[in-house]
């Protein structure tokens, strides 16, 4: 039986840009409560952890900085799995208190609560269309798999054939099948529509983890014998095996593209247990990562959606991020940490960063209401610019590198002297917070976007508003000048991208886009790159 002990949450060295730490915690920062799991958000920008006593919290943090964003309270026992929904705006958590809860990820408000009758919930998973949710858990006669109509929060059927605890289940990408892993040493494949068991795969050891590949053609499983197995998802035949040096693996995962598999585990009752983090190449079966550093059982592993990185959570009091650059080369994340001397590091989330034109310094804006200028080579904090009354949301160097423009939730834009740190001008006019600021290539104007849905173009020398660009129906999240300064691109929550004549303010083009992701011109100004729900989109602006 999987036994969890109270643990503390600690962060990797790479997450130390935001806070000061005590000398004895040089590599980690602690949280007052423990954690059971850790998973990335769909865009990889955040990660969420499930906690333990006394409050059983769910915590949301930034992936880039590790900065704490939100704590969600309400569960009364271990939060064994908590994940983002596809929209990235809501979270679903499953707990040993027998409830599934849905939360607003931004406000922390509990949106709904569903009661399960199993003694505890060990795992849940949503179908790709998010119509169905499968939850697992229970012992003996209570060992069940429950299929939910998640939109109506109703249980459609209960699958009972396992004879021991069901630790995990997954839904095939096309939504037609369910696979489950149990301590009864079997994997079972079910017809989702009828609840009929289509196939039973017998193994030599209790199984704790199972997952479909992204194409639905394969299964990956692991359990008490420390072996990762890849199966044919149609006929249940064994395809390949990957062996760890330990005696138990608690969790496995396919990478988003299905080319890699990861596994973690470790038996805390065995003094010689192996707590290595494993990543293998499915095609070549070569080891991509063998991360050594955890000292107690590792409960979960999750691939980042956008880079060669995995996130792990362990009973040794740590959540760790591991990354690799080349095959057969494994290492923990070694990003340069810009934290300055005593009192000089940001005290809250970092919202925006911008290199100086010569690349020697870096400006960062933060929710702590300050802008900091850093020496890129040494990591020294050179200056702290204070004056905004709320979070700084965007920073941008002038083309000559002598000034910085900053936008804030306090509705103002400020222009700063880089050498002295003096605030030269405050630009006022927007009626809601600023989301984005951008200098024109000649440095004569500054464009700004705001939650008020408007774009303003300002004279950078006088600070006067020259133009108001209206057309977006709701929040403007990003503005960007073309390399020649003749046009300005903007992106809005109304799911449009607009191209404006920077001189006249006329709207030249309207493109159908997605939400709040950044936009960027190509060097020749003929193409615009944008992020979308399923990838990166390139727009031909010359047509």
């Amino acid at each position: 039986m999987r036994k969890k002990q109270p643990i503390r949450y600690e962060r990797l060295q790479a997450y130390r840009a935001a806070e000061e730490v005590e000398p004895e915690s040089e590599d980690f920062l602690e949280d007052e409560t423990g954690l059971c799991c850790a998973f990335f958000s769909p865009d990889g920008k955040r990660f969420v952890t499930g906690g333990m006593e006394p409050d059983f919290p769910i915590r949301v943090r930034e992936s880039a900085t590790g900065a704490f964003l939100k704590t969600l309270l309400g569960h009364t026992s271990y939060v064994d799995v908590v994940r983002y929904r596809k929209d990235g705006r809501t979270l679903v958590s499953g707990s040993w208190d027998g409830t599934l809860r849905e939360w607003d990820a931004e406000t922390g408000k509990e949106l709904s609560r569903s009661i399960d009758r199993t003694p505890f919930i060990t795992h849940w998973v949503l179908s790709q269309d998010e119509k169905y949710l499968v939850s697992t858990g229970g012992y003996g006669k209570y060992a069940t798999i429950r299929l939910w109509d998640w939109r109506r929060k109703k249980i459609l059927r209960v699958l009972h054939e396992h004879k021991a605890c069901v630790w995990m289940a997954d839904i095939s990408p096309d939504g037609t099948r369910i696979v489950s892993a149990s301590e009864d040493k079997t994997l079972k494949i079910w017809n989702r529509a009828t609840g009929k068991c289509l196939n039973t795969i017998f193994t030599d050891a209790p199984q704790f983890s199972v997952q479909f590949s992204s194409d639905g053609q394969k299964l990956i499983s692991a359990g008490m014998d420390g072996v990762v197995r890849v199966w044919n998802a149609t006929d249940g035949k064994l395809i390949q095996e990957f062996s760890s040096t330990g005696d138990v693996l608690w969790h496995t995962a396919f990478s988003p593209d299905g080319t890699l598999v990861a596994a973690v585990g470790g038996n805390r009752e065995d003094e010689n247990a192996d707590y290595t983090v494993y990543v293998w190449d499915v095609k070549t079966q070569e080891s991509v990562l063998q991360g050594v550093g955890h000292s107690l059982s590792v409960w979960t592993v999750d691939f980042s959606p956008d880079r060669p990185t995995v996130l792990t959570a362990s009973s040794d009091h740590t959540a760790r991020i591991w990354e690799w650059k080349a095959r057969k080369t494994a290492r923990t994340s070694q990003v340069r940490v810009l934290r300055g001397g005593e009192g000089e590091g940001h005290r809250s989330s970092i919202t925006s960063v911008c290199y100086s034109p010569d690349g020697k310094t870096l400006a960062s804006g933060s929710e702590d209401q300050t802008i900091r200028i850093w020496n890129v080579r040494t990591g020294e904090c050179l200056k702290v610019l204070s004056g905004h009354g709320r979070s700084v949301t965007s920073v941008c160097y002038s083309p000559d590198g002598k000034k910085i423009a900053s936008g804030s939730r306090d509705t103002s834009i400020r222009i700063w002297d880089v050498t002295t740190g003096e605030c030269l001008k405050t630009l006022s006019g927007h009626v809601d917070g600023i989301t984005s600021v951008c200098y024109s290539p000649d440095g004569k104007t500054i464009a700004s976007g705001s939650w008020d849905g408007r774009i303003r173009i300002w004279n950078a020398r006088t600070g006067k508003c020259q133009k108001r660009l209206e057309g977006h129906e709701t929040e403007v999240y990003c503005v960007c000048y073309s390399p020649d300064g003749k046009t300005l691109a903007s992106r809005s929550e109304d799911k449009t991208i607009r191209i404006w004549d920077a001189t006249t303010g006329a709207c030249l083009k309207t493109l159908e886009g997605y939400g709040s992701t950044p936009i960027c011109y190509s060097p020749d100004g003929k193409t615009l790159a944008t992020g979308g729900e399923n990838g990166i989109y390139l727009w031909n602006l010359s047509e």
Side-chain angles (χ1 to χ4, degrees):
M1 170 181 169
R2 178 180 178 182
K3 297 179 181 179
K4 291 185 176 177
Q5 301 298 324
I7 58 176
R8 298 173 300 163
Y9 172 76
E10 300 177 349
R11 293 199 307 233
L12 268 181
Q13 177 180 334
Y15 285 165
R16 301 217 2 271
E19 296 96 347
E20 177 73 5
V21 296
E22 297 180 4
E24 63 267 28
S25 328
E26 188 57 27
D27 288 332
F28 301 100
L29 289 175
E30 299 181 5
D31 198 304
E32 67 272 15
T33 62
L35 66 114
C36 301
C37 61
F39 294 98
F40 283 110
S41 62
D43 61 7
K45 294 180 179 179
R46 298 180 178 184
F47 69 91
V48 61
T49 61
M52 303 178 71
E53 60 260 286
D55 299 323
F56 308 102
I58 296 166
R59 299 197 190 280
V60 181
R61 294 184 183 267
E62 283 193 342
S63 298
T65 66
F68 162 78
L69 300 176
K70 190 71 61 182
T71 296
L72 288 58
L73 298 175
H75 281 296
T76 58
S77 190
Y78 298 140
V79 181
D80 219 24
V81 59
V82 55
R83 288 182 181 269
Y84 280 87
R85 293 187 63 174
K86 287 171 64 176
D87 60 10
R89 298 176 181 175
T90 54
L91 295 162
V92 179
S93 58
S95 168
W96 287 19
D97 65 12
T99 65
L100 290 162
R101 304 183 189 219
E102 195 161 7
W103 313 78
D104 185 303
E106 295 298 324
T107 67
K109 180 181 179 182
E110 184 178 324
L111 303 176
S112 67
R113 185 183 309 181
S114 305
I115 308 299
D116 200 318
R117 293 181 176 82
T118 56
F120 58 89
I121 295 173
T122 57
H123 194 73
W124 66 261
V125 63
L126 277 167
S127 59
Q128 288 198 3
D129 59 10
E130 299 197 337
K131 291 181 180 180
Y132 303 103
L133 180 144
V134 172
S135 62
T136 61
Y139 270 94
K141 66 179 180 180
Y142 298 108
T144 60
I145 304 155
R146 294 178 183 266
L147 176 66
W148 301 71
D149 179 327
W150 192 241
R151 295 178 181 177
R152 295 187 298 161
K153 303 299 188 292
K154 287 188 176 182
I155 295 176
L156 300 177
R157 61 177 50 87
V158 180
L159 310 179
H160 286 287
E161 290 190 23
H162 282 295
K163 306 301 182 184
C165 179
V166 184
W167 281 108
M168 188 176 291
D170 194 22
I171 303 176
S172 61
D174 62 7
T176 62
R177 293 165 293 161
I178 297 169
V179 63
S180 54
S182 170
E183 281 190 9
D184 65 9
K185 302 182 182 181
T186 68
L187 307 172
K188 289 183 180 289
I189 302 173
W190 313 78
N191 182 296
R192 193 270 308 159
T194 65
K196 180 181 178 182
C197 181
L198 303 175
N199 198 358
T200 298
I201 301 173
F202 295 93
T203 70
D204 296 328
Q207 297 296 294
F208 300 129
S209 180
V210 68
Q211 184 187 10
F212 277 100
S213 60
S214 56
D215 60 7
Q217 301 300 309
K218 298 176 183 178
L219 300 171
I220 182 177
S221 72
M224 189 65 79
D225 58 0
V227 178
V228 177
R229 293 178 172 87
V230 180
W231 311 85
N232 184 304
T234 302
D235 58 21
K237 291 183 178 180
L238 181 65
I239 298 174
Q240 58 193 143
E241 295 182 344
F242 302 91
S243 295
S244 70
T245 59
D247 62 347
V248 58
L249 292 174
W250 291 115
H251 198 235
T252 57
F254 272 112
S255 62
D257 61 6
T259 61
L260 304 174
V261 295
V264 293
N267 184 353
R268 64 180 299 123
E269 298 176 355
D270 180 0
E271 62 180 14
N272 297 316
D274 175 37
Y275 307 114
T276 304
V277 179
Y278 295 95
V279 179
W280 293 281
D281 185 298
V282 174
K283 185 176 181 180
T284 66
Q285 295 190 278
E286 293 179 351
S287 174
V288 175
L289 171 80
Q290 288 193 28
V292 178
H294 282 301
S295 58
L296 286 174
S297 298
V298 190
W299 299 119
T300 60
V301 60
D302 189 35
F303 278 93
S304 169
D306 60 353
R307 61 189 190 276
T309 300
V310 291
L311 170 68
T312 58
S314 168
S315 288
D316 67 2
H317 313 168
T318 68
R320 297 177 181 244
I321 283 186
W322 310 80
E323 64 180 9
W324 57 93
K325 283 189 174 180
R327 304 298 170 119
K328 302 181 181 179
T329 300
R331 61 181 181 86
T332 54
S333 193
Q334 297 292 329
V335 258
R336 181 181 295 279
V337 180
L338 307 181
R339 61 175 179 273
E342 183 176 359
E344 293 183 342
H346 280 300
R347 300 292 176 176
S348 190
S349 303
I350 296 170
T351 58
S352 178
V353 292
C354 181
Y355 271 102
S356 61
D358 62 9
K360 294 180 180 180
T361 61
L362 182 78
S364 60
S366 168
E367 288 186 357
D368 66 9
Q369 304 177 18
T370 69
I371 300 104
R372 283 167 165 74
I373 301 174
W374 309 84
N375 183 307
V376 174
R377 183 180 62 83
T378 66
E380 178 188 2
C381 181
L382 303 175
K383 281 189 176 55
V384 179
L385 313 181
S386 300
H388 281 297
R390 294 188 66 186
S391 302
V392 178
T393 54
S394 182
V395 291
C396 182
Y397 271 94
S398 61
D400 61 8
K402 296 180 180 180
K403 299 181 180 66
I404 291 173
S406 62
S408 168
R409 280 184 176 268
D410 66 9
T411 75
S412 75
I413 298 158
R414 290 177 180 253
I415 300 175
W416 309 83
D417 186 295
V418 170
T419 302
T420 66
E422 177 189 1
C423 179
L424 302 175
K425 284 184 175 56
T426 299
L427 316 183
S428 300
H430 283 292
V431 295
D432 205 339
I434 310 300
T435 58
S436 179
V437 292
C438 183
Y439 265 100
S440 61
D442 61 9
K444 294 181 179 180
T445 60
I446 297 170
S448 61
S450 168
W451 274 284
D452 65 13
R454 291 178 173 83
I455 300 160
R456 289 176 181 258
I457 297 179
W458 311 80
N459 184 304
R461 182 179 61 83
T462 65
K464 291 184 178 180
C465 180
Q466 295 181 337
K467 292 181 183 62
R468 291 196 308 172
L469 311 184
E470 299 187 11
H472 283 300
E473 298 176 1
T474 185
E475 297 96 327
V476 177
Y477 283 120
C478 187
V479 292
C480 181
Y481 273 101
S482 62
D484 61 8
K486 294 181 179 180
T487 61
L488 180 78
S490 63
R491 190 163 199 170
S492 167
E493 180 67 19
D494 66 12
K495 297 186 178 181
T496 66
I497 300 156
R498 292 177 182 260
I499 309 297
W500 311 82
D501 186 305
T503 302
T504 66
C507 182
L508 304 176
K509 293 180 189 295
T510 300
L511 311 172
E512 295 298 322
Y514 293 97
S516 58
T517 57
I519 53 180
C520 182
Y521 277 94
S522 61
D524 62 7
K526 296 180 180 180
T527 306
L528 190 73
T530 66
E533 291 180 353
N534 299 308
I536 298 170
Y537 294 80
L538 300 179
W539 305 84
N540 187 341
L541 301 181
S542 60
E543 294 180 349

